[in-house]
Amino acid sequence: MTIAAEASSMLNPVDLFMRADMVVKAIMVGLAVASVWSWVVIFDKALRFATLNSQANAFEDAVGSGRSLEEIAAQAGPNPAHPLPRMLVIALSDWREARTRGALNEGQANLLMARIDRALDSLIAREGQRVENGLGVLSVVATASPFIGLFGTVWGIMNAFGAIASAGNTNLTTVAPAISEALFATAIGLFAAIPAYIAYNKFSIDAGKFTGRLESFADDLQAAVARRLGSTPSADPRREV
């Protein structure tokens, strides 16, 4: 085999995998599976956040269009999938239930506001957990993969030096292939960790922004209900925004 062919063989991932020790092979396979798993999560979260934000933009445009909140809630349906219209449905449902009993005194108004606040906070907490689902996978892959790959490299180098000692040959052409196989495990670990680390940080920021968006809308809803509570009893609540 020529020097060029040997160099090409040392850089061929398939050859490096096939020549590796069984322990190192198992580590490489595990890291490859972790990488595929993290990419599945990355594509899923990217699509999910794009859909959530697109729907949120459309809903906020509808709210800012001047239409009544009742009309927008009716269009969204009784149990909308997106959290923003669901928050609106919850707030208006509590408002209508309270108004069916007649005019509210100050104590009843405070109880209504507290009930709406608890309901919206509970929804925000659940949605915050939902949008963060999968981030734990990215965190584990990002933090553990380099160390797992490093363990594979150390194991491979130990075996390589053991084989070199047995052969009694320390020539570079004898050492290089074994070292390349061992270092390949670290390369796979970094290949799995770097995208997972970047995606974890990006989606953590996106999740925080989306939760903040929900909290801001909850504050706007509570302010709208408070304005309705402060209006005269004869006022038509459908005209309050």
Side-chain angles (χ1 to χ4, degrees):
M1 181 180 292
T2 63
I3 296 177
E6 290 180 355
S8 176
S9 177
M10 284 190 293
L11 295 177
N12 189 319
V14 177
D15 290 341
L16 290 173
F17 175 79
M18 296 303 298
R19 291 199 305 260
D21 177 78
M22 286 303 299
V23 174
V24 180
K25 283 182 179 178
I27 290 173
M28 291 179 180
V29 171
L31 290 173
V33 171
S35 178
V36 171
W37 191 10
S38 68
W39 277 107
V40 170
V41 174
I42 288 171
F43 284 121
D44 176 72
K45 300 305 290 185
L47 179 61
R48 189 179 301 273
F49 276 116
T51 302
L52 285 174
N53 287 320
S54 175
Q55 293 174 347
N57 290 336
F59 177 76
E60 289 177 345
D61 289 342
V63 171
S65 66
R67 297 160 55 194
S68 70
L69 296 181
E70 279 77 7
E71 180 184 352
I72 298 172
Q75 183 179 0
N79 188 27
H82 196 279
L84 285 182
R86 200 183 320 149
M87 293 166 68
L88 176 60
V89 170
I90 290 173
L92 291 181
S93 176
D94 287 344
W95 160 258
R96 285 193 295 267
E97 181 182 348
R99 287 302 298 265
T100 56
R101 305 190 185 104
L104 303 178
N105 57 38
E106 183 178 353
Q108 292 172 326
N110 291 335
L111 287 175
L112 173 62
M113 292 299 299
R115 185 171 64 184
I116 292 176
D117 181 63
R118 286 194 300 270
L120 296 183
D121 285 346
S122 177
L123 188 148
I124 291 171
R126 290 195 303 271
E127 290 300 323
Q129 292 176 350
R130 185 174 301 175
V131 296
E132 290 177 357
N133 285 342
L135 294 185
V137 173
L138 298 180
S139 176
V140 170
V141 173
T143 55
S145 293
F147 297 102
I148 296 174
L150 182 60
F151 172 75
T153 295
V154 172
W155 184 274
I157 290 176
M158 288 171 57
N159 287 338
F161 278 118
I164 290 168
S166 299
N169 186 354
T170 58
N171 189 284
L172 183 60
T173 57
T174 303
V175 176
I179 300 299
S180 298
E181 297 157 17
L183 291 175
F184 187 50
T186 295
I188 296 178
L190 294 175
F191 179 80
I194 292 174
Y197 178 78
I198 295 173
Y200 173 78
N201 284 279
K202 179 189 184 305
F203 293 140
S204 294
I205 294 172
D206 290 345
K209 288 181 177 179
F210 187 74
T211 301
R213 194 172 193 176
L214 297 182
E215 292 172 348
S216 296
F217 186 69
D219 292 340
D220 292 340
L221 272 179
Q222 290 173 313
V225 173
R227 287 196 297 271
R228 293 184 175 196
L229 291 172
S231 63
T232 59
S234 60
D236 184 356
R238 291 176 299 176
R239 302 187 62 86
E240 295 289 338
V241 179

